[in-house]
Short mmCIF file of all heavy atoms in Angstrom, two decimals:
data_model
loop_
_atom_site.label_atom_id
_atom_site.label_comp_id
_atom_site.label_asym_id
_atom_site.label_seq_id
_atom_site.Cartn_x
_atom_site.Cartn_y
_atom_site.Cartn_z
N MET H 1 -12.82 2.51 19.05
CA MET H 1 -12.84 1.48 17.90
C MET H 1 -11.65 0.66 17.98
O MET H 1 -10.60 0.92 18.44
CB MET H 1 -12.75 2.30 16.58
CG MET H 1 -13.13 1.41 15.42
SD MET H 1 -13.27 2.31 13.76
CE MET H 1 -14.86 2.86 13.94
N ASP H 2 -11.85 -0.68 17.59
CA ASP H 2 -10.79 -1.70 17.76
C ASP H 2 -9.71 -1.35 16.82
O ASP H 2 -9.87 -0.88 15.62
CB ASP H 2 -11.47 -2.97 17.31
CG ASP H 2 -10.43 -4.16 17.32
OD1 ASP H 2 -9.97 -4.44 18.56
OD2 ASP H 2 -10.14 -4.70 16.29
N LEU H 3 -8.35 -1.41 17.30
CA LEU H 3 -7.25 -1.08 16.52
C LEU H 3 -7.11 -1.82 15.24
O LEU H 3 -6.68 -1.32 14.14
CB LEU H 3 -5.96 -1.23 17.37
CG LEU H 3 -4.69 -0.84 16.82
CD1 LEU H 3 -4.75 0.67 16.38
CD2 LEU H 3 -3.56 -0.91 17.81
N MET H 4 -7.37 -3.14 15.28
CA MET H 4 -7.23 -3.99 14.04
C MET H 4 -8.32 -3.56 13.00
O MET H 4 -8.02 -3.51 11.72
CB MET H 4 -7.38 -5.48 14.44
CG MET H 4 -6.34 -5.94 15.29
SD MET H 4 -4.62 -5.74 14.42
CE MET H 4 -4.80 -6.90 13.09
N LEU H 5 -9.49 -3.16 13.49
CA LEU H 5 -10.55 -2.62 12.56
C LEU H 5 -10.05 -1.39 11.79
O LEU H 5 -10.17 -1.22 10.65
CB LEU H 5 -11.92 -2.40 13.25
CG LEU H 5 -13.04 -1.88 12.40
CD1 LEU H 5 -13.31 -2.80 11.28
CD2 LEU H 5 -14.21 -1.66 13.34
N LEU H 6 -9.50 -0.44 12.64
CA LEU H 6 -8.90 0.80 12.13
C LEU H 6 -7.83 0.50 11.07
O LEU H 6 -7.78 1.28 10.11
CB LEU H 6 -8.41 1.70 13.13
CG LEU H 6 -9.34 2.50 13.90
CD1 LEU H 6 -8.69 3.23 15.13
CD2 LEU H 6 -10.10 3.52 12.98
N ALA H 7 -6.91 -0.48 11.43
CA ALA H 7 -5.84 -0.87 10.50
C ALA H 7 -6.48 -1.33 9.23
O ALA H 7 -5.90 -1.01 8.14
CB ALA H 7 -4.89 -1.92 11.12
N GLY H 8 -7.52 -2.19 9.34
CA GLY H 8 -8.03 -2.77 8.07
C GLY H 8 -8.65 -1.68 7.17
O GLY H 8 -8.51 -1.71 6.01
N ILE H 9 -9.42 -0.84 7.90
CA ILE H 9 -10.04 0.20 7.12
C ILE H 9 -8.98 1.17 6.57
O ILE H 9 -9.12 1.56 5.34
CB ILE H 9 -10.93 1.12 8.10
CG1 ILE H 9 -12.09 0.39 8.65
CG2 ILE H 9 -11.42 2.40 7.39
CD1 ILE H 9 -12.98 0.86 9.73
N SER H 10 -7.83 1.47 7.27
CA SER H 10 -6.87 2.31 6.64
C SER H 10 -6.21 1.68 5.48
O SER H 10 -6.04 2.30 4.42
CB SER H 10 -5.73 2.62 7.77
OG SER H 10 -6.30 3.39 8.74
N LEU H 11 -6.01 0.33 5.57
CA LEU H 11 -5.33 -0.38 4.49
C LEU H 11 -6.24 -0.32 3.28
O LEU H 11 -5.79 -0.18 2.09
CB LEU H 11 -5.14 -1.80 4.99
CG LEU H 11 -4.23 -2.70 4.04
CD1 LEU H 11 -2.85 -2.05 3.69
CD2 LEU H 11 -4.02 -4.03 4.61
N VAL H 12 -7.55 -0.62 3.45
CA VAL H 12 -8.46 -0.51 2.33
C VAL H 12 -8.49 0.81 1.65
O VAL H 12 -8.52 1.01 0.49
CB VAL H 12 -9.88 -1.11 2.78
CG1 VAL H 12 -10.95 -0.71 1.76
CG2 VAL H 12 -9.91 -2.44 3.22
N CYS H 13 -8.51 1.86 2.45
CA CYS H 13 -8.59 3.20 1.99
C CYS H 13 -7.37 3.63 1.17
O CYS H 13 -7.45 4.16 0.05
CB CYS H 13 -8.77 4.17 3.14
SG CYS H 13 -10.27 4.19 3.93
N VAL H 14 -6.13 3.10 1.71
CA VAL H 14 -4.91 3.52 0.91
C VAL H 14 -4.93 2.63 -0.44
O VAL H 14 -4.58 3.26 -1.38
CB VAL H 14 -3.67 3.07 1.74
CG1 VAL H 14 -2.47 3.00 1.00
CG2 VAL H 14 -3.51 4.09 3.08
N SER H 15 -5.33 1.38 -0.41
CA SER H 15 -5.40 0.70 -1.56
C SER H 15 -6.21 1.26 -2.62
O SER H 15 -5.93 1.30 -3.77
CB SER H 15 -5.83 -0.81 -1.28
OG SER H 15 -4.88 -1.55 -0.50
N MET H 16 -7.54 1.68 -2.13
CA MET H 16 -8.48 2.33 -3.08
C MET H 16 -7.96 3.60 -3.54
O MET H 16 -8.08 3.91 -4.83
CB MET H 16 -9.74 2.49 -2.49
CG MET H 16 -10.57 1.26 -2.06
SD MET H 16 -12.05 1.48 -1.12
CE MET H 16 -13.08 2.48 -2.14
N TYR H 17 -7.37 4.29 -2.77
CA TYR H 17 -6.60 5.63 -3.37
C TYR H 17 -5.65 5.48 -4.38
O TYR H 17 -5.58 6.05 -5.45
CB TYR H 17 -6.25 6.44 -2.07
CG TYR H 17 -5.42 7.67 -2.49
CD1 TYR H 17 -6.21 8.80 -2.83
CD2 TYR H 17 -4.02 7.80 -2.33
CE1 TYR H 17 -5.43 9.96 -3.18
CE2 TYR H 17 -3.40 8.94 -2.66
CZ TYR H 17 -4.10 10.03 -3.17
OH TYR H 17 -3.39 11.21 -3.50
N VAL H 18 -4.74 4.54 -4.00
CA VAL H 18 -3.65 4.37 -4.91
C VAL H 18 -4.04 3.73 -6.26
O VAL H 18 -3.63 3.98 -7.28
CB VAL H 18 -2.57 3.29 -4.19
CG1 VAL H 18 -1.54 2.88 -5.25
CG2 VAL H 18 -1.90 4.09 -3.09
N LYS H 19 -5.06 2.81 -6.22
CA LYS H 19 -5.58 2.23 -7.42
C LYS H 19 -6.31 3.20 -8.25
O LYS H 19 -6.27 3.37 -9.47
CB LYS H 19 -6.59 1.11 -7.11
CG LYS H 19 -5.88 -0.17 -6.61
CD LYS H 19 -6.90 -1.26 -6.33
CE LYS H 19 -6.19 -2.44 -5.80
NZ LYS H 19 -7.00 -3.53 -5.33
N ALA H 20 -6.91 4.22 -7.59
CA ALA H 20 -7.53 5.29 -8.36
C ALA H 20 -6.55 6.17 -9.01
O ALA H 20 -6.84 6.66 -10.15
CB ALA H 20 -8.37 6.13 -7.43
N LEU H 21 -5.38 6.31 -8.44
CA LEU H 21 -4.25 7.12 -9.06
C LEU H 21 -3.60 6.29 -10.09
O LEU H 21 -2.91 7.01 -10.98
CB LEU H 21 -3.28 7.57 -7.94
CG LEU H 21 -3.72 8.51 -6.89
CD1 LEU H 21 -2.70 8.72 -5.89
CD2 LEU H 21 -4.18 9.83 -7.52
N ASP H 22 -3.62 5.07 -10.11
CA ASP H 22 -2.83 4.32 -11.07
C ASP H 22 -3.57 3.83 -12.23
O ASP H 22 -3.70 2.61 -12.56
CB ASP H 22 -2.23 3.03 -10.21
CG ASP H 22 -1.15 2.44 -10.96
OD1 ASP H 22 -0.47 2.90 -11.81
OD2 ASP H 22 -0.90 1.20 -10.71
N LYS H 23 -4.14 4.78 -12.93
CA LYS H 23 -4.89 4.51 -14.17
C LYS H 23 -3.92 4.36 -15.35
O LYS H 23 -2.92 5.07 -15.39
CB LYS H 23 -5.86 5.81 -14.38
CG LYS H 23 -6.81 6.00 -13.41
CD LYS H 23 -8.14 5.30 -13.55
CE LYS H 23 -9.10 5.74 -12.56
NZ LYS H 23 -10.13 4.84 -12.37
N PRO H 24 -4.11 3.47 -16.17
CA PRO H 24 -3.27 3.19 -17.42
C PRO H 24 -3.18 4.50 -18.21
O PRO H 24 -4.23 5.21 -18.41
CB PRO H 24 -3.88 2.08 -18.13
CG PRO H 24 -4.83 1.40 -17.17
CD PRO H 24 -5.17 2.48 -16.14
N THR H 25 -2.02 4.82 -18.70
CA THR H 25 -1.85 5.92 -19.59
C THR H 25 -1.05 5.41 -20.83
O THR H 25 -0.70 4.25 -20.95
CB THR H 25 -1.06 7.02 -18.94
OG1 THR H 25 0.36 6.49 -18.63
CG2 THR H 25 -1.72 7.57 -17.70
N SER H 26 -0.73 6.40 -21.69
CA SER H 26 0.03 5.94 -22.83
C SER H 26 1.47 5.46 -22.45
O SER H 26 2.05 4.61 -23.15
CB SER H 26 0.23 7.14 -23.78
OG SER H 26 0.88 8.24 -23.25
N ALA H 27 1.91 5.90 -21.27
CA ALA H 27 3.20 5.34 -20.87
C ALA H 27 2.89 4.49 -19.68
O ALA H 27 3.32 4.66 -18.48
CB ALA H 27 4.13 6.57 -20.36
N ALA H 28 2.18 3.46 -19.99
CA ALA H 28 1.55 2.55 -18.93
C ALA H 28 2.75 1.87 -18.13
O ALA H 28 2.58 1.69 -16.83
CB ALA H 28 0.77 1.43 -19.58
N SER H 29 3.83 1.51 -18.67
CA SER H 29 4.91 0.92 -17.93
C SER H 29 5.59 1.94 -16.82
O SER H 29 5.73 1.46 -15.73
CB SER H 29 6.04 0.50 -18.83
OG SER H 29 7.06 -0.15 -18.02
N ALA H 30 5.78 3.13 -17.36
CA ALA H 30 6.33 4.14 -16.37
C ALA H 30 5.26 4.45 -15.40
O ALA H 30 5.66 4.52 -14.15
CB ALA H 30 6.82 5.28 -17.17
N ALA H 31 4.04 4.59 -15.65
CA ALA H 31 3.03 4.93 -14.69
C ALA H 31 2.83 3.85 -13.67
O ALA H 31 2.57 4.07 -12.51
CB ALA H 31 1.70 5.24 -15.44
N SER H 32 2.92 2.55 -14.12
CA SER H 32 2.74 1.46 -13.24
C SER H 32 3.93 1.42 -12.26
O SER H 32 3.76 1.24 -11.15
CB SER H 32 2.85 0.09 -14.05
OG SER H 32 2.78 -0.92 -13.29
N SER H 33 5.17 1.74 -12.70
CA SER H 33 6.33 1.72 -11.85
C SER H 33 6.07 2.90 -10.64
O SER H 33 6.41 2.62 -9.55
CB SER H 33 7.60 1.94 -12.58
OG SER H 33 7.86 0.85 -13.44
N ILE H 34 5.62 4.00 -11.17
CA ILE H 34 5.45 5.06 -10.31
C ILE H 34 4.38 4.80 -9.37
O ILE H 34 4.51 5.04 -8.13
CB ILE H 34 5.13 6.54 -11.04
CG1 ILE H 34 6.47 6.88 -11.84
CG2 ILE H 34 4.65 7.52 -10.20
CD1 ILE H 34 6.31 7.96 -12.84
N GLY H 35 3.30 4.24 -9.84
CA GLY H 35 2.11 3.80 -9.05
C GLY H 35 2.57 2.88 -7.84
O GLY H 35 2.27 2.95 -6.76
N ALA H 36 3.32 1.81 -8.29
CA ALA H 36 3.92 0.83 -7.28
C ALA H 36 4.70 1.53 -6.29
O ALA H 36 4.58 1.21 -5.14
CB ALA H 36 4.56 -0.21 -8.05
N ALA H 37 5.59 2.42 -6.72
CA ALA H 37 6.45 3.08 -5.80
C ALA H 37 5.70 3.99 -4.76
O ALA H 37 5.78 3.88 -3.56
CB ALA H 37 7.51 4.01 -6.52
N ASP H 38 4.66 4.63 -5.28
CA ASP H 38 3.79 5.47 -4.48
C ASP H 38 2.97 4.58 -3.49
O ASP H 38 2.90 5.01 -2.29
CB ASP H 38 2.84 6.39 -5.24
CG ASP H 38 3.52 7.45 -5.99
OD1 ASP H 38 4.63 7.91 -5.46
OD2 ASP H 38 2.91 7.89 -6.96
N GLU H 39 2.48 3.45 -4.00
CA GLU H 39 1.77 2.66 -3.01
C GLU H 39 2.61 2.03 -1.98
O GLU H 39 2.30 1.95 -0.85
CB GLU H 39 1.11 1.47 -3.87
CG GLU H 39 0.22 0.66 -3.09
CD GLU H 39 -0.67 -0.35 -3.85
OE1 GLU H 39 -0.49 -0.28 -5.13
OE2 GLU H 39 -1.37 -1.21 -3.35
N LEU H 40 3.89 1.66 -2.39
CA LEU H 40 4.80 1.14 -1.35
C LEU H 40 5.11 2.16 -0.36
O LEU H 40 5.35 1.77 0.88
CB LEU H 40 6.08 0.63 -1.99
CG LEU H 40 7.10 -0.19 -1.25
CD1 LEU H 40 6.40 -1.27 -0.52
CD2 LEU H 40 8.30 -0.55 -2.04
N LEU H 41 5.22 3.46 -0.65
CA LEU H 41 5.52 4.52 0.32
C LEU H 41 4.27 4.70 1.13
O LEU H 41 4.53 4.89 2.40
CB LEU H 41 5.84 5.80 -0.49
CG LEU H 41 7.16 6.04 -1.05
CD1 LEU H 41 7.23 7.32 -2.04
CD2 LEU H 41 8.17 5.95 -0.07
N GLY H 42 3.18 4.51 0.64
CA GLY H 42 1.91 4.54 1.49
C GLY H 42 1.99 3.47 2.58
O GLY H 42 1.65 3.65 3.73
N TYR H 43 2.31 2.26 2.17
CA TYR H 43 2.34 1.16 3.09
C TYR H 43 3.44 1.40 4.10
O TYR H 43 3.44 0.97 5.26
CB TYR H 43 2.56 -0.18 2.31
CG TYR H 43 1.33 -0.61 1.70
CD1 TYR H 43 1.27 -0.80 0.29
CD2 TYR H 43 0.12 -0.85 2.42
CE1 TYR H 43 0.13 -1.33 -0.34
CE2 TYR H 43 -0.98 -1.31 1.76
CZ TYR H 43 -1.09 -1.50 0.45
OH TYR H 43 -2.15 -1.96 -0.32
N LYS H 44 4.57 2.02 3.68
CA LYS H 44 5.70 2.25 4.62
C LYS H 44 5.30 3.28 5.72
O LYS H 44 5.61 3.14 6.83
CB LYS H 44 6.95 2.87 3.85
CG LYS H 44 8.03 3.15 4.64
CD LYS H 44 8.73 2.08 5.43
CE LYS H 44 10.04 2.48 6.05
NZ LYS H 44 10.13 1.93 7.33
N LYS H 45 4.58 4.19 5.31
CA LYS H 45 3.89 5.22 6.28
C LYS H 45 3.04 4.50 7.27
O LYS H 45 3.09 4.80 8.38
CB LYS H 45 3.23 6.36 5.60
CG LYS H 45 4.18 7.24 4.76
CD LYS H 45 3.42 8.43 4.14
CE LYS H 45 4.30 9.34 3.32
NZ LYS H 45 3.62 10.28 2.54
N LEU H 46 2.21 3.72 6.74
CA LEU H 46 1.42 2.87 7.66
C LEU H 46 2.18 1.97 8.59
O LEU H 46 1.79 1.78 9.82
CB LEU H 46 0.38 1.99 6.77
CG LEU H 46 -0.66 2.73 6.10
CD1 LEU H 46 -1.49 1.66 5.18
CD2 LEU H 46 -1.58 3.42 7.00
N LEU H 47 3.20 1.34 8.11
CA LEU H 47 4.04 0.61 9.00
C LEU H 47 4.76 1.51 10.02
O LEU H 47 4.78 1.11 11.16
CB LEU H 47 5.19 -0.05 8.11
CG LEU H 47 6.40 -0.88 8.87
CD1 LEU H 47 5.84 -2.13 9.53
CD2 LEU H 47 7.35 -1.36 7.80
N ASP H 48 5.39 2.58 9.63
CA ASP H 48 6.02 3.50 10.56
C ASP H 48 5.09 3.99 11.67
O ASP H 48 5.52 4.22 12.75
CB ASP H 48 6.63 4.64 9.76
CG ASP H 48 7.82 4.24 8.89
OD1 ASP H 48 8.34 3.08 9.16
OD2 ASP H 48 8.26 4.95 7.99
N ASN H 49 3.83 4.31 11.38
CA ASN H 49 2.97 4.78 12.35
C ASN H 49 2.31 3.65 13.05
O ASN H 49 1.38 3.84 13.99
CB ASN H 49 2.02 5.71 11.85
CG ASN H 49 0.84 5.29 10.97
OD1 ASN H 49 0.65 4.05 11.01
ND2 ASN H 49 0.21 6.12 10.21
N GLY H 50 2.65 2.49 12.79
CA GLY H 50 2.04 1.32 13.63
C GLY H 50 0.64 0.80 13.23
O GLY H 50 0.07 -0.01 13.81
N THR H 51 0.17 1.26 12.09
CA THR H 51 -1.10 0.81 11.58
C THR H 51 -1.16 -0.53 11.08
O THR H 51 -2.11 -1.25 11.19
CB THR H 51 -1.57 1.79 10.48
OG1 THR H 51 -1.62 3.20 11.07
CG2 THR H 51 -3.07 1.50 10.02
N ILE H 52 -0.04 -0.87 10.43
CA ILE H 52 0.08 -2.32 9.84
C ILE H 52 1.37 -2.90 10.47
O ILE H 52 2.26 -2.20 10.89
CB ILE H 52 0.14 -2.38 8.24
CG1 ILE H 52 1.43 -1.49 7.64
CG2 ILE H 52 -1.13 -1.80 7.68
CD1 ILE H 52 1.58 -1.76 6.21
N THR H 53 1.43 -4.25 10.39
CA THR H 53 2.61 -4.91 10.96
C THR H 53 3.69 -4.98 9.88
O THR H 53 3.45 -4.85 8.57
CB THR H 53 2.21 -6.39 11.27
OG1 THR H 53 1.70 -7.15 10.21
CG2 THR H 53 1.05 -6.39 12.41
N GLN H 54 4.83 -5.38 10.23
CA GLN H 54 5.96 -5.67 9.39
C GLN H 54 5.60 -6.82 8.34
O GLN H 54 5.92 -6.79 7.20
CB GLN H 54 7.26 -6.09 10.11
CG GLN H 54 8.38 -6.23 9.24
CD GLN H 54 8.91 -5.03 8.53
OE1 GLN H 54 9.12 -3.92 9.25
NE2 GLN H 54 9.20 -5.11 7.30
N GLU H 55 4.83 -7.93 8.87
CA GLU H 55 4.44 -8.93 7.99
C GLU H 55 3.56 -8.50 6.86
O GLU H 55 3.69 -8.89 5.71
CB GLU H 55 3.72 -9.93 8.82
CG GLU H 55 3.34 -11.20 8.19
CD GLU H 55 2.66 -12.22 9.02
OE1 GLU H 55 2.99 -12.52 10.10
OE2 GLU H 55 1.63 -12.79 8.52
N VAL H 56 2.59 -7.66 7.19
CA VAL H 56 1.65 -7.04 6.16
C VAL H 56 2.52 -6.17 5.15
O VAL H 56 2.29 -6.36 3.91
CB VAL H 56 0.48 -6.31 6.73
CG1 VAL H 56 -0.32 -5.52 5.72
CG2 VAL H 56 -0.30 -7.12 7.58
N PHE H 57 3.39 -5.37 5.60
CA PHE H 57 4.23 -4.61 4.76
C PHE H 57 5.08 -5.42 3.81
O PHE H 57 5.04 -5.26 2.63
CB PHE H 57 5.10 -3.70 5.57
CG PHE H 57 6.03 -2.88 4.72
CD1 PHE H 57 5.65 -1.72 4.01
CD2 PHE H 57 7.35 -3.27 4.54
CE1 PHE H 57 6.43 -1.03 3.25
CE2 PHE H 57 8.27 -2.51 3.70
CZ PHE H 57 7.85 -1.35 3.04
N ASP H 58 5.71 -6.42 4.42
CA ASP H 58 6.46 -7.37 3.53
C ASP H 58 5.71 -8.13 2.43
O ASP H 58 6.13 -8.21 1.25
CB ASP H 58 7.24 -8.41 4.35
CG ASP H 58 8.29 -7.78 5.30
OD1 ASP H 58 8.79 -6.71 5.00
OD2 ASP H 58 8.77 -8.36 6.36
N GLN H 59 4.43 -8.44 2.83
CA GLN H 59 3.62 -8.99 1.87
C GLN H 59 3.18 -8.14 0.76
O GLN H 59 3.27 -8.51 -0.42
CB GLN H 59 2.35 -9.61 2.53
CG GLN H 59 1.37 -10.24 1.61
CD GLN H 59 0.07 -10.61 2.34
OE1 GLN H 59 -0.12 -10.32 3.56
NE2 GLN H 59 -0.93 -11.15 1.56
N LYS H 60 2.85 -6.98 1.02
CA LYS H 60 2.53 -5.99 0.01
C LYS H 60 3.70 -5.59 -0.83
O LYS H 60 3.56 -5.35 -2.08
CB LYS H 60 1.91 -4.76 0.78
CG LYS H 60 0.53 -4.98 1.36
CD LYS H 60 -0.49 -5.34 0.34
CE LYS H 60 -1.83 -5.65 0.96
NZ LYS H 60 -2.79 -6.03 0.08
N LYS H 61 4.87 -5.55 -0.23
CA LYS H 61 6.08 -5.15 -0.95
C LYS H 61 6.29 -6.24 -1.99
O LYS H 61 6.63 -5.98 -3.12
CB LYS H 61 7.27 -5.03 0.05
CG LYS H 61 8.60 -4.74 -0.55
CD LYS H 61 9.64 -4.54 0.58
CE LYS H 61 10.99 -4.36 -0.11
NZ LYS H 61 11.97 -4.25 0.89
N LYS H 62 6.22 -7.52 -1.53
CA LYS H 62 6.39 -8.60 -2.46
C LYS H 62 5.35 -8.49 -3.70
O LYS H 62 5.77 -8.80 -4.85
CB LYS H 62 6.31 -9.94 -1.74
CG LYS H 62 7.56 -10.27 -0.93
CD LYS H 62 7.37 -11.66 -0.35
CE LYS H 62 8.56 -11.96 0.56
NZ LYS H 62 8.42 -13.25 1.29
N GLU H 63 4.21 -8.21 -3.37
CA GLU H 63 3.17 -8.11 -4.40
C GLU H 63 3.42 -7.03 -5.42
O GLU H 63 3.31 -7.16 -6.57
CB GLU H 63 1.73 -7.90 -3.79
CG GLU H 63 1.23 -9.05 -3.03
CD GLU H 63 -0.09 -8.66 -2.30
OE1 GLU H 63 -0.72 -7.67 -2.50
OE2 GLU H 63 -0.53 -9.56 -1.44
N LEU H 64 3.82 -5.90 -4.87
CA LEU H 64 4.07 -4.77 -5.67
C LEU H 64 5.43 -4.88 -6.59
O LEU H 64 5.28 -4.38 -7.59
CB LEU H 64 4.09 -3.53 -4.82
CG LEU H 64 2.91 -2.95 -4.23
CD1 LEU H 64 3.09 -1.86 -3.13
CD2 LEU H 64 1.93 -2.47 -5.14
N LEU H 65 6.34 -5.63 -5.98
CA LEU H 65 7.60 -5.82 -6.77
C LEU H 65 7.57 -6.97 -7.65
O LEU H 65 8.59 -7.29 -8.31
CB LEU H 65 8.73 -5.81 -5.72
CG LEU H 65 9.01 -4.48 -4.89
CD1 LEU H 65 10.19 -4.76 -3.98
CD2 LEU H 65 9.22 -3.29 -5.88
N GLY H 66 6.45 -7.70 -7.48
CA GLY H 66 6.33 -9.00 -8.34
C GLY H 66 7.29 -10.06 -7.91
O GLY H 66 7.80 -10.83 -8.91
N LEU H 67 7.63 -10.10 -6.68
CA LEU H 67 8.63 -11.16 -6.10
C LEU H 67 7.97 -12.36 -5.67
O LEU H 67 6.79 -12.37 -5.33
CB LEU H 67 9.41 -10.47 -4.99
CG LEU H 67 10.27 -9.31 -5.36
CD1 LEU H 67 10.94 -8.71 -4.22
CD2 LEU H 67 11.28 -9.65 -6.47
#
């Protein structure tokens, strides 16, 4: 299977998983911060194992941190 296709599938799976975990609660602000941190860690793991590029990681990091 093409490496870029695998990377795309992995990224979609991680995004879907993290979004499923990041449901609003009564402490929505705290949960959102924890959800963003967990999602960022997921992207860092993908970066470290070569599934995504540094450019993709930096883009996702900016989105999650609201920069």
Side-chain angles (χ1 to χ4, degrees):
M1 189 177 280
D2 183 64
L3 185 58
M4 292 304 291
L5 178 59
L6 277 174
I9 292 169
S10 296
L11 189 58
V12 169
C13 289
V14 168
S15 293
M16 290 173 62
Y17 174 75
V18 171
K19 286 179 183 176
L21 291 177
D22 195 23
K23 302 270 184 194
T25 63
S26 60
S29 178
S32 177
S33 295
I34 292 170
D38 287 339
E39 189 170 355
L40 189 56
L41 285 173
Y43 286 120
K44 177 64 172 141
K45 288 178 184 177
L46 292 173
L47 174 65
D48 290 345
N49 72 22
T51 304
I52 62 172
T53 63
Q54 183 69 48
E55 183 178 320
V56 171
F57 176 78
D58 291 342
Q59 178 186 2
K60 293 298 181 181
K61 181 178 172 183
K62 285 180 182 178
E63 289 174 12
L64 290 168
L65 297 177
L67 301 174

